[in-house]
Structure formats: structure tokens, C-alpha cells
Amino acid sequence: MKIFSILFLLSIATYAMDLDTFYKQVHTQAIQKNYIKFRGRILTTKEAYDLADTKERDYLKESLILIFSKIYNFIYFNEISGIGLNTEIGSKLQFDIKYYETLLDIGIGGDIKAMCVLPSFDKCILLGYRAF
């Protein structure tokens, strides 16, 4: 049983991918319109979405989008609607209130990795940080 456990853990480590590598793979496939699916939804990147025409953007409604950027500024904080912020690449993201302290700690100019729902860039989750 111990040998199986060790082999299983080694196989997971072999196939593990960091977030930056994952982003590159999602982006490459999104450009080719060979979309990766995550929990039944299409996954794309901000750069690929910016290149999409109107018809493609309509197809991508309710899909998920990855945004890897820096925080440009905070738009608002509201206990009901959460936190809104702008990124340096021009995305306006909306996060749940549970991310407030983490986003403040990251601060203006700090790197964020997020996954949001299109087309409104809302219901964002912060990637690479533990959620409570």
C-alpha cells in the first residue's frame, strides 16, 4: 500500500503545472480556438479575448477568463457587492468581499492572477492564494 501511495504522489508531481505554464497553454489553445474546458466551461485568456471578434465573444459568454496582471487601482469596496479593481491591462474585475484583505496586502502595482466569468469580468476568484 505504501508503494502505491508513493507512486501516486510521484505521478501527480510529474503532471503538475504551475499557473504561468497553465496560462500559456490556455492562451495557445484559445488563439487556435481549441478551448480548454474547466468544470464544463470554456476557458480563455484576456489577450485571446481581446483578439476575438463580436461573434466569438458572443460564443464565449458565460465562459471563464484568466487575467494575469498588476493591480492598477481599486474602484470600490462595498460589503454587499465586494471589491472592484482595475488592472494594468484594462480589465475591471469584481471580487467577493472575502478577498478584501488579500487584495489590500497585494496592493497597487502588485501581481494578481484571477479567473472571472465573462462577459462582465465578475465572480472573480484569486488564484495562487488560499481561500477561507
Side-chain angles (χ1 to χ4, degrees):
M1 187 67 166
K2 287 184 181 180
I3 294 173
F4 175 75
S5 298
I6 292 170
L7 290 175
F8 178 72
L9 291 174
L10 286 175
S11 69
I12 289 174
T14 303
Y15 295 107
M17 187 181 296
D18 66 28
L19 286 173
D20 292 321
T21 304
F22 179 68
Y23 186 92
K24 289 175 188 169
Q25 185 62 43
V26 170
H27 180 70
T28 299
Q29 288 189 228
I31 294 293
Q32 299 167 350
K33 296 185 180 23
N34 178 22
Y35 296 106
I36 292 173
K37 289 209 173 181
F38 178 75
R39 295 187 178 174
R41 291 187 185 203
I42 291 172
L43 189 57
T44 190
T45 63
K46 170 73 165 91
E47 292 79 6
Y49 186 72
D50 287 346
L51 296 173
D53 60 22
T54 305
K55 184 178 177 184
E56 189 70 15
R57 286 183 180 209
D58 285 342
Y59 173 73
L60 293 171
K61 280 185 181 170
E62 300 302 316
S63 295
L64 301 172
I65 187 163
L66 294 174
I67 299 107
F68 287 23
S69 186
K70 292 185 181 292
I71 297 174
Y72 181 69
N73 67 4
F74 290 94
I75 303 169
Y76 60 83
F77 163 73
N78 181 307
E79 289 186 19
I80 296 171
S81 60
I83 301 103
L85 62 85
N86 285 328
T87 66
E88 286 188 347
I89 58 173
S91 301
K92 293 179 177 140
L93 312 180
Q94 294 175 285
F95 289 90
D96 188 83
I97 190 73
K98 70 181 179 182
Y99 293 108
Y100 180 68
E101 292 292 328
T102 305
L103 290 168
L104 277 181
D105 286 344
I106 295 169
I108 305 297
D111 290 320
I112 62 165
K113 294 174 166 92
M115 181 168 42
C116 304
V117 178
L118 287 172
S120 300
F121 291 79
D122 62 352
K123 301 177 189 99
C124 296
I125 61 169
L126 200 55
L127 304 174
Y129 291 88
R130 291 186 181 205
F132 300 102

